[in-house]
Amino acid sequence: MKSRYLWNVLLGMLLSLLLFSISKIAVYIAPLMILFLGFNVSRFLFRDVSYRIAISPAIGMSLLSIVSYILSLSGIGLKPLVYVVLILSAVSFDIGDVYILTNLNQQEKVLLGKLILTVIAVVGVRAIVFKMPTDNVDNYFHATKILYTLRYMTIFPPKVPVFNLFTYPAGYHILVSFVIMVSQDLIPHAMLVVRIWSWVFITLGTYLFGAIWFEKRVGLYSAMLILVTNIYTYYLLVFINPNFIGFYFFLVLLALFYVEINEMYSELVSPLGLWVLMIIIGAGVLFVHPYEFQNWVFVISVYLLLKVLSGEVSIKTAFLRGMIYVVPPILIYAILNPYFWRPELASGVVIEYPWASYVGVVVKHLSVFTGKNPMDTWSKFWLLIKWVTVRNYNYLATFLLFIGGIWALHKRNHVREVVSLGVFVFFVLLLVLNRLTYNIPVPFFGTAAMERIFLWLSPLFPVFISLGLILLIEWLMENFNSNYSRVIVILMLLLLYIVPSVGIAHDLIADEANFYVDHSNLEDFDWLDARFSNVTILNSCYRDSGSWIQFFTSNRVIFSHLNRCRFGQVTPLDAEKMVRIGLRPLNATLAYIDTNYPSLDPLVFYRDYKLLRFNNGNWIFDLRSRDTKNNLEVLSSGLRLCNNVISGNTDVDGQYYVYGFRKKYFWIEYLYLQGLNYAWLEGDRGVIMFVPCESYSRVSLYIVLPGDRYLNVTISINGDIHRVQLSPGVNPLSFNVALIQGSLVTIEIYKNCDCLLLVGPIRLE
């Protein structure tokens, strides 16, 4: 026996080291190391291989989080984390798993094949268009927490920008940090790796939950129907990394609870293993995001109540079992993350921006929140309702969503299960309506913004749709002859998947336009990193790539979302005013101006500072040098136009729209996909510049004015002023002007309203 164990450990270590070696070369393999650990441990829980695969990420991530917190609290730090994972994987390995995997029966092989193909399909259609998550405040916050975790190699660094960066649960950040420790990858790209894998997790979790609460067919159908669940496509737009992984944990915990409460011992290797892993995974979800733990508690409370009302379980038994489910994970979390509960323990931590930190939110506002997000509106609520239902012409999926629960209740098929989930859906909708109306403080459950509360329902929609689909197929089979019913089913499936596919594809592509670091920015960052080190860079901070420089280079930026785009009381706009009066702002070495959105005005800097680089609309200035003699040459090389048309599509011709235009935004890309190629002018002033390869005498363009009012605008072409009244709709404009070959042409559009104009295309004659 001892000899067998030693051989297991040796082979386990060899396999772990093989995964480690591959991960150093292929970063997308790195999360498999965590899944390998989880799969090894899962043999103490499930017999079924598909269940073991589905639960492996939850086990692996939970153990990774617990080990990381222990190492951090003990003062050892995270440096040995990779070695600890290798050792745990080795000691938990059993060569019998190899035998099990290679000797599956035909039914198990078919099931596993379907599950793997489903995962590939769900992940594949998204991964094709994914960009690095470099857009909003949330992603920037999480990237910064990862940055400080790696900088100090601990979950509890001695110095942080804002207080809640220190106390926020670190489960997600540890997984990304682990990927980086293994592969030496960049933080944003490692976040992309985990983002892709999180879709693997959610697919596996959906299968596990559907299979255990209902049957394996429901599990597979539910996982497949993620592809037609609109709200999951919407989640690409507002992708919140820890929350999404929390959905997976929510589904896994529901599955484990169901196995335990219904004593499904035939599925288990050991009831004791179930209890132990329920506690570990319960703590794991708290380390990822507490919302999904509280949601799990709500659903199981309803289920236990139904058990009590049916007489299957006594009140005392239900209460005691509920306490065992809930209390140990909270205790583990409280012990390993003490600063969350007692922030005063972190008195020695240096807070870089204390005026921007809300210490009170760590304890008080996470239990009872009395504020209201400005985005909590009825229009937002109806938008979410449309995404759940009829958007992308997804009428059949909407029909199946509603009949799934209703028909299951009517047939008395899994009544308790459907009622438990239905009560949770009703409760969440009540929370949303409360937020939109009276906004009565609700402990714990009422602390999220309305949109995030609504998204708690996302994991359940594929399950309800699959129930509706299965029940409809059964009804067709019962009421029509077999050949006719098969034809109907095939047509129905084609309708279910094909009809919304174009709209969903547009959503997938367009949503990724909301991420600010594109190919041109990456080129700029490589250029900066090769030439500058540890310098201070002035950046805009307004919906552009500049804030992300510190994650791609060894340099630092002045403004970020964490300091609320302020340095002391100085904003980017104040810095621009300093340049206008001849001052060097904030002693910065460089200025990086990405002209997405009305950002810093590059032409203000162009007048006084040396232009080092112009690349597809991005400007890099040396603020130490007033030598501007080569500025025109540098700029002209990037603005050459050897064509008589500038498209309104800023994906194609964005370099010519040098100021005031929004370029990276999902609605813009969505219109481009519809063939509407207009540049979005959001600022009070839009500037278009180019250097023609020929001479021209006329400029023509179209300006679209949305809405129903008229607007006066001023258009300047090389200083030649034209005042124009725009009417609602499309306004074709044409101006006689001399454009000389090789000269810099400037077209400026001025408007005095907070309104949107659509510009383009521009034709030269």
Short mmCIF file of all heavy atoms in Angstrom, two decimals, residues 128-155:
data_model
loop_
_atom_site.label_atom_id
_atom_site.label_comp_id
_atom_site.label_asym_id
_atom_site.label_seq_id
_atom_site.Cartn_x
_atom_site.Cartn_y
_atom_site.Cartn_z
N ILE A 128 -13.53 33.86 -29.75
CA ILE A 128 -13.13 34.36 -31.07
C ILE A 128 -13.01 35.88 -31.07
O ILE A 128 -12.13 36.45 -31.72
CB ILE A 128 -14.15 33.90 -32.14
CG1 ILE A 128 -14.01 32.39 -32.37
CG2 ILE A 128 -13.95 34.65 -33.45
CD1 ILE A 128 -15.11 31.81 -33.25
N VAL A 129 -13.89 36.55 -30.34
CA VAL A 129 -13.94 38.01 -30.41
C VAL A 129 -13.41 38.70 -29.14
O VAL A 129 -13.31 39.92 -29.10
CB VAL A 129 -15.39 38.50 -30.67
CG1 VAL A 129 -15.89 37.99 -31.99
CG2 VAL A 129 -16.32 38.08 -29.53
N PHE A 130 -13.06 37.92 -28.13
CA PHE A 130 -12.67 38.52 -26.85
C PHE A 130 -11.44 39.41 -26.97
O PHE A 130 -10.48 39.08 -27.66
CB PHE A 130 -12.36 37.43 -25.82
CG PHE A 130 -13.58 36.96 -25.06
CD1 PHE A 130 -13.47 35.94 -24.14
CD2 PHE A 130 -14.81 37.54 -25.26
CE1 PHE A 130 -14.58 35.49 -23.44
CE2 PHE A 130 -15.93 37.11 -24.57
CZ PHE A 130 -15.80 36.09 -23.66
N LYS A 131 -11.48 40.54 -26.26
CA LYS A 131 -10.30 41.37 -26.04
C LYS A 131 -9.93 41.30 -24.57
O LYS A 131 -10.70 40.83 -23.74
CB LYS A 131 -10.59 42.83 -26.42
CG LYS A 131 -10.71 43.11 -27.91
CD LYS A 131 -10.88 44.61 -28.13
CE LYS A 131 -11.00 44.95 -29.60
NZ LYS A 131 -11.18 46.41 -29.81
N MET A 132 -8.76 41.83 -24.25
CA MET A 132 -8.37 41.90 -22.85
C MET A 132 -9.34 42.82 -22.11
O MET A 132 -9.69 43.88 -22.62
CB MET A 132 -6.94 42.40 -22.72
CG MET A 132 -5.91 41.38 -23.12
SD MET A 132 -4.20 41.95 -22.97
CE MET A 132 -4.07 42.98 -24.42
N PRO A 133 -9.76 42.45 -20.91
CA PRO A 133 -10.73 43.27 -20.17
C PRO A 133 -10.11 44.56 -19.63
O PRO A 133 -9.65 44.63 -18.50
CB PRO A 133 -11.18 42.34 -19.04
CG PRO A 133 -10.04 41.39 -18.86
CD PRO A 133 -9.42 41.21 -20.21
N THR A 134 -10.07 45.59 -20.47
CA THR A 134 -9.40 46.84 -20.14
C THR A 134 -10.32 48.02 -20.37
O THR A 134 -10.00 48.93 -21.11
CB THR A 134 -8.14 47.01 -21.01
OG1 THR A 134 -8.53 46.89 -22.39
CG2 THR A 134 -7.09 45.98 -20.71
N ASP A 135 -11.48 47.98 -19.72
CA ASP A 135 -12.42 49.05 -20.01
C ASP A 135 -12.75 49.91 -18.81
O ASP A 135 -12.26 51.02 -18.68
CB ASP A 135 -13.70 48.46 -20.61
CG ASP A 135 -14.38 47.47 -19.69
OD1 ASP A 135 -13.68 46.87 -18.85
OD2 ASP A 135 -15.60 47.29 -19.79
N ASN A 136 -13.55 49.40 -17.92
CA ASN A 136 -14.23 50.27 -16.96
C ASN A 136 -13.57 50.28 -15.60
O ASN A 136 -12.49 49.74 -15.38
CB ASN A 136 -15.70 49.84 -16.83
CG ASN A 136 -15.81 48.37 -16.48
OD1 ASN A 136 -14.91 47.78 -15.90
ND2 ASN A 136 -16.93 47.76 -16.83
N VAL A 137 -14.24 50.92 -14.67
CA VAL A 137 -13.73 51.05 -13.31
C VAL A 137 -13.55 49.69 -12.65
O VAL A 137 -12.57 49.45 -11.94
CB VAL A 137 -14.68 51.94 -12.48
CG1 VAL A 137 -14.21 52.01 -11.03
CG2 VAL A 137 -14.76 53.33 -13.07
N ASP A 138 -14.50 48.77 -12.88
CA ASP A 138 -14.43 47.45 -12.24
C ASP A 138 -13.18 46.69 -12.65
O ASP A 138 -12.44 46.17 -11.81
CB ASP A 138 -15.67 46.62 -12.58
CG ASP A 138 -16.90 47.11 -11.82
OD1 ASP A 138 -16.79 47.30 -10.61
OD2 ASP A 138 -17.94 47.30 -12.45
N ASN A 139 -12.95 46.60 -13.95
CA ASN A 139 -11.77 45.86 -14.41
C ASN A 139 -10.49 46.53 -13.94
O ASN A 139 -9.51 45.85 -13.62
CB ASN A 139 -11.79 45.76 -15.94
CG ASN A 139 -12.71 44.67 -16.43
OD1 ASN A 139 -12.81 43.61 -15.84
ND2 ASN A 139 -13.42 44.94 -17.51
N TYR A 140 -10.47 47.86 -13.92
CA TYR A 140 -9.27 48.57 -13.46
C TYR A 140 -9.03 48.29 -11.98
O TYR A 140 -7.89 48.08 -11.55
CB TYR A 140 -9.43 50.08 -13.68
CG TYR A 140 -8.14 50.83 -13.53
CD1 TYR A 140 -7.29 51.00 -14.62
CD2 TYR A 140 -7.76 51.37 -12.31
CE1 TYR A 140 -6.10 51.67 -14.49
CE2 TYR A 140 -6.57 52.04 -12.16
CZ TYR A 140 -5.74 52.20 -13.26
OH TYR A 140 -4.55 52.86 -13.12
N PHE A 141 -10.09 48.26 -11.20
CA PHE A 141 -9.97 47.95 -9.77
C PHE A 141 -9.37 46.56 -9.57
O PHE A 141 -8.43 46.38 -8.79
CB PHE A 141 -11.35 48.03 -9.12
CG PHE A 141 -11.37 47.56 -7.68
CD1 PHE A 141 -11.11 48.44 -6.65
CD2 PHE A 141 -11.66 46.24 -7.38
CE1 PHE A 141 -11.12 48.00 -5.33
CE2 PHE A 141 -11.68 45.79 -6.07
CZ PHE A 141 -11.41 46.68 -5.04
N HIS A 142 -9.92 45.58 -10.29
CA HIS A 142 -9.44 44.20 -10.10
C HIS A 142 -8.00 44.04 -10.60
O HIS A 142 -7.20 43.33 -9.98
CB HIS A 142 -10.37 43.22 -10.81
CG HIS A 142 -11.75 43.20 -10.22
ND1 HIS A 142 -11.98 42.95 -8.89
CD2 HIS A 142 -12.98 43.41 -10.79
CE1 HIS A 142 -13.28 43.01 -8.65
NE2 HIS A 142 -13.90 43.28 -9.78
N ALA A 143 -7.67 44.71 -11.71
CA ALA A 143 -6.29 44.65 -12.20
C ALA A 143 -5.33 45.27 -11.19
O ALA A 143 -4.21 44.77 -10.98
CB ALA A 143 -6.18 45.38 -13.54
N THR A 144 -5.76 46.34 -10.53
CA THR A 144 -4.90 46.99 -9.53
C THR A 144 -4.71 46.11 -8.31
O THR A 144 -3.61 46.03 -7.75
CB THR A 144 -5.50 48.35 -9.12
OG1 THR A 144 -5.72 49.15 -10.28
CG2 THR A 144 -4.56 49.09 -8.18
N LYS A 145 -5.77 45.42 -7.89
CA LYS A 145 -5.62 44.50 -6.75
C LYS A 145 -4.63 43.38 -7.09
O LYS A 145 -3.81 42.99 -6.26
CB LYS A 145 -6.97 43.91 -6.35
CG LYS A 145 -6.88 42.99 -5.12
CD LYS A 145 -8.24 42.61 -4.62
CE LYS A 145 -8.11 41.63 -3.44
NZ LYS A 145 -7.50 42.26 -2.25
N ILE A 146 -4.71 42.87 -8.31
CA ILE A 146 -3.75 41.85 -8.74
C ILE A 146 -2.33 42.42 -8.77
O ILE A 146 -1.38 41.77 -8.33
CB ILE A 146 -4.14 41.31 -10.13
CG1 ILE A 146 -5.50 40.61 -10.06
CG2 ILE A 146 -3.09 40.35 -10.67
CD1 ILE A 146 -6.16 40.42 -11.42
N LEU A 147 -2.20 43.65 -9.27
CA LEU A 147 -0.89 44.31 -9.33
C LEU A 147 -0.25 44.41 -7.96
O LEU A 147 0.93 44.07 -7.78
CB LEU A 147 -1.05 45.71 -9.95
CG LEU A 147 0.21 46.57 -10.03
CD1 LEU A 147 1.21 45.98 -11.02
CD2 LEU A 147 -0.16 48.00 -10.44
N TYR A 148 -1.02 44.84 -6.96
CA TYR A 148 -0.47 45.00 -5.61
C TYR A 148 -0.26 43.65 -4.93
O TYR A 148 0.67 43.49 -4.12
CB TYR A 148 -1.39 45.90 -4.78
CG TYR A 148 -1.11 47.36 -5.01
CD1 TYR A 148 -1.53 47.99 -6.18
CD2 TYR A 148 -0.40 48.12 -4.10
CE1 TYR A 148 -1.26 49.32 -6.42
CE2 TYR A 148 -0.12 49.46 -4.32
CZ TYR A 148 -0.56 50.06 -5.49
OH TYR A 148 -0.27 51.38 -5.71
N THR A 149 -1.09 42.67 -5.24
CA THR A 149 -0.88 41.33 -4.70
C THR A 149 0.46 40.77 -5.17
O THR A 149 1.23 40.20 -4.38
CB THR A 149 -2.02 40.39 -5.15
OG1 THR A 149 -3.26 40.88 -4.62
CG2 THR A 149 -1.79 38.97 -4.66
N LEU A 150 0.76 40.96 -6.45
CA LEU A 150 2.01 40.45 -7.01
C LEU A 150 3.21 41.31 -6.61
O LEU A 150 4.32 40.80 -6.45
CB LEU A 150 1.90 40.38 -8.54
CG LEU A 150 0.92 39.36 -9.09
CD1 LEU A 150 0.70 39.56 -10.58
CD2 LEU A 150 1.41 37.93 -8.82
N ARG A 151 2.99 42.59 -6.47
CA ARG A 151 4.09 43.49 -6.09
C ARG A 151 4.64 43.13 -4.71
O ARG A 151 5.85 43.12 -4.49
CB ARG A 151 3.62 44.94 -6.12
CG ARG A 151 4.67 45.96 -5.73
CD ARG A 151 4.13 47.37 -5.87
NE ARG A 151 3.84 47.70 -7.27
CZ ARG A 151 3.20 48.80 -7.64
NH1 ARG A 151 2.75 49.66 -6.73
NH2 ARG A 151 3.00 49.04 -8.92
N TYR A 152 3.73 42.83 -3.78
CA TYR A 152 4.15 42.52 -2.41
C TYR A 152 4.05 41.04 -2.09
O TYR A 152 4.36 40.63 -0.97
CB TYR A 152 3.30 43.33 -1.42
CG TYR A 152 3.52 44.82 -1.54
CD1 TYR A 152 2.62 45.61 -2.24
CD2 TYR A 152 4.63 45.43 -0.96
CE1 TYR A 152 2.81 46.99 -2.36
CE2 TYR A 152 4.83 46.80 -1.07
CZ TYR A 152 3.92 47.58 -1.77
OH TYR A 152 4.12 48.93 -1.89
N MET A 153 3.58 40.23 -3.03
CA MET A 153 3.44 38.79 -2.88
C MET A 153 2.66 38.41 -1.62
O MET A 153 3.03 37.50 -0.86
CB MET A 153 4.81 38.11 -2.87
CG MET A 153 5.34 37.83 -4.26
SD MET A 153 4.30 36.63 -5.12
CE MET A 153 4.87 36.82 -6.81
N THR A 154 1.54 39.08 -1.43
CA THR A 154 0.65 38.78 -0.32
C THR A 154 -0.73 39.33 -0.64
O THR A 154 -0.86 40.31 -1.40
CB THR A 154 1.15 39.37 1.00
OG1 THR A 154 0.17 39.12 2.03
CG2 THR A 154 1.39 40.87 0.89
N ILE A 155 -1.74 38.70 -0.08
CA ILE A 155 -3.10 39.21 -0.23
C ILE A 155 -3.30 40.48 0.59
O ILE A 155 -4.18 41.28 0.30
CB ILE A 155 -4.11 38.13 0.19
CG1 ILE A 155 -4.04 36.94 -0.78
CG2 ILE A 155 -5.54 38.66 0.22
CD1 ILE A 155 -4.83 35.74 -0.33
#
